Amino acid sequence: MISETFVEKTHEEKINIIQTSVIDWIENPFLKELTDRFLRTYSEIFFKAPAAGRHHHAYEGGLLDHSYEVMQIASVVSELYPQINRDLIYCGGFLHDIGKMKNYSPYILKSGKISTATPYKRNDYSKIMDHFGEGHRIITEMVKDMEYEGYTIEPIPLFDIHHIIASHHGPVALRWGSEVDPNTPEAWIIHQADMISSRVGGDDPNNSPKV
């Protein structure tokens, strides 16, 4: 986790931490604006969402913790390989799971209390749009807005971010939900970082990644 008290910080404090430890590190203008725009537009929802129902980071603010962990882990790994595009690591690591923002709702028991075994459950929206498709939708909407406002859209890094989202659960043969196999070094690193965060930060380290 980022810290034990991170989820207790004010919205403005969280914004500042992400601004100085993620967005300021990105050099590519397009990816910097994409990440910053996401933060400006969705932070209220993103900062409160869980990362899963019960398998890992299943608490309010868990999605933010998980996303930041993935970015940090991937950043450390990329330091070993100078050919890695660090901007894709920062942006892709932080945005890989943004499609989960609307996928979970508190699991309310008949007693009216929230379940302690499974604090969150997948809601009806997640049955219509899984977090891969929702992630693509969010990116596409932001890019359309950027284009309308006159920003220069860079197709190659945009494609790479979509690829990271599509492949972050690893090879399709694993049946963990990926739409395609990871086919770039950055996508492989993000996948492995996601595995580490979800297993080390999860309730059961023997579980495969769950959505």
Side-chain angles (χ1 to χ4, degrees), residues 19 23 31-41:
Q19 181 73 50
I23 297 171
L31 294 179
K32 182 186 286 286
E33 172 58 26
L34 186 69
T35 311
D36 191 34
R37 181 174 293 257
F38 171 77
L39 193 63
R40 298 195 308 266
T41 307

Side-chain angles (χ1 to χ4, degrees), residues 49-201:
R54 65 183 176 89
H55 292 280
H56 72 94
H57 302 86
Y59 53 86
E60 183 174 311
L63 182 56
L64 174 60
D65 272 8
H66 170 62
S67 300
Y68 193 84
E69 284 177 15
V70 169
M71 187 278 296
Q72 286 183 312
I73 294 165
S75 177
V76 171
V77 173
S78 68
E79 290 179 1
L80 300 173
Y81 306 100
Q83 73 272 26
I84 297 301
N85 186 320
R86 301 291 290 275
D87 286 346
L88 290 176
I89 292 295
Y90 300 142
C91 178
F94 192 65
L95 301 183
H96 79 283
D97 254 352
I98 58 176
K100 287 185 174 182
M101 289 190 297
K102 297 180 180 180
N103 276 185
Y104 295 97
S105 298
Y107 196 155
I108 308 297
L109 302 174
K110 291 182 179 180
S111 63
K113 297 181 179 181
I114 296 177
S115 169
T116 55
T118 305
Y120 293 89
K121 64 178 180 178
R122 295 186 63 173
N123 54 31
D124 290 341
Y125 186 80
S126 72
K127 299 173 184 177
I128 299 172
M129 183 76 78
D130 66 17
H131 80 281
F132 294 93
E134 177 68 0
H136 294 310
R137 186 194 67 77
I138 292 169
I139 295 293
T140 299
E141 283 193 356
M142 290 194 298
V143 169
K144 285 182 178 179
D145 289 341
M146 289 170 63
E147 191 170 23
Y148 178 79
E149 295 170 16
Y151 284 91
T152 299
I153 307 303
E154 300 184 33
I156 294 177
L158 175 59
F159 174 86
D160 286 333
I161 294 300
H162 277 297
H163 179 64
I164 286 170
I165 291 174
S167 64
H168 72 270
H169 276 191
V172 174
L174 294 175
R175 297 184 179 181
W176 288 344
S178 282
E179 299 169 320
V180 297
D181 294 344
N183 282 309
T184 65
E186 293 81 11
W188 271 110
I189 291 174
I190 296 298
H191 161 56
Q192 296 296 339
D194 185 46
M195 288 286 290
I196 293 171
S197 175
S198 64
R199 292 194 177 206
V200 175

